[in-house]
Amino acid sequence: MGRTPPHPEVSQFDLQQVLEALVDPVRRSIVTQLDTAGEDIKCGAFDMPVSKSTATHHFKVLREAGLIRQYYVGTSRMNALRRAEMDEAFPGLLDALTTRQIKRH
């Protein structure tokens, strides 16, 4: 496993935990940025108005809820939106979230 942190399997996704992860605007922004980018993004490349330690907490909450997968490329911790898995577990949830976020901007 190395440096890659643990991630829940789809069967372990919990709707309450996912919703609690998404209630925070910074975490919703991370999910929206990943969805809009259409590719994996390293931790330091996100547009976030929080400190590095606070950002680390937000990534952990999203990872533990199953919304993102984190892995390393060299020294960079990469983040991938687990869209297909979320869509399988909770159809339409991410579509509702990302469509709403885009319309606000």
Side-chain angles (χ1 to χ4, degrees):
M1 181 156 119
R3 298 185 302 169
T4 302
H7 300 87
E9 298 297 324
V10 175
S11 63
Q12 297 172 310
F13 288 174
D14 176 72
L15 181 58
Q16 183 68 34
Q17 187 177 12
V18 170
L19 293 175
E20 287 173 6
L22 292 172
V23 76
D24 185 276
V26 172
R27 293 193 287 265
R28 284 195 312 271
S29 174
I30 292 168
V31 169
T32 300
Q33 288 179 62
L34 281 167
D35 190 60
T36 302
E39 63 185 14
D40 302 352
I41 302 173
K42 64 182 178 178
C43 288
F46 285 89
D47 179 23
M48 290 188 288
V50 296
S51 69
K52 184 176 178 180
S53 63
T54 300
T56 299
H57 167 74
H58 287 304
F59 287 120
K60 180 182 178 189
V61 170
L62 291 169
R63 185 184 72 245
E64 290 178 348
L67 285 152
I68 64 170
R69 180 172 301 282
Q70 293 187 305
Y71 62 95
Y72 280 91
V73 173
T75 58
S76 296
R77 184 177 264 196
M78 302 299 293
N79 298 276
L81 182 61
R82 296 178 70 183
R83 179 173 260 292
E85 294 145 305
M86 276 290 137
D87 287 346
E88 176 186 332
F90 310 114
L93 178 65
L94 289 182
D95 285 337
L97 173 77
T98 56
T99 300
R100 183 179 197 130
Q101 289 292 313
I102 291 169
K103 286 182 180 177
R104 287 179 154 175
H105 294 293

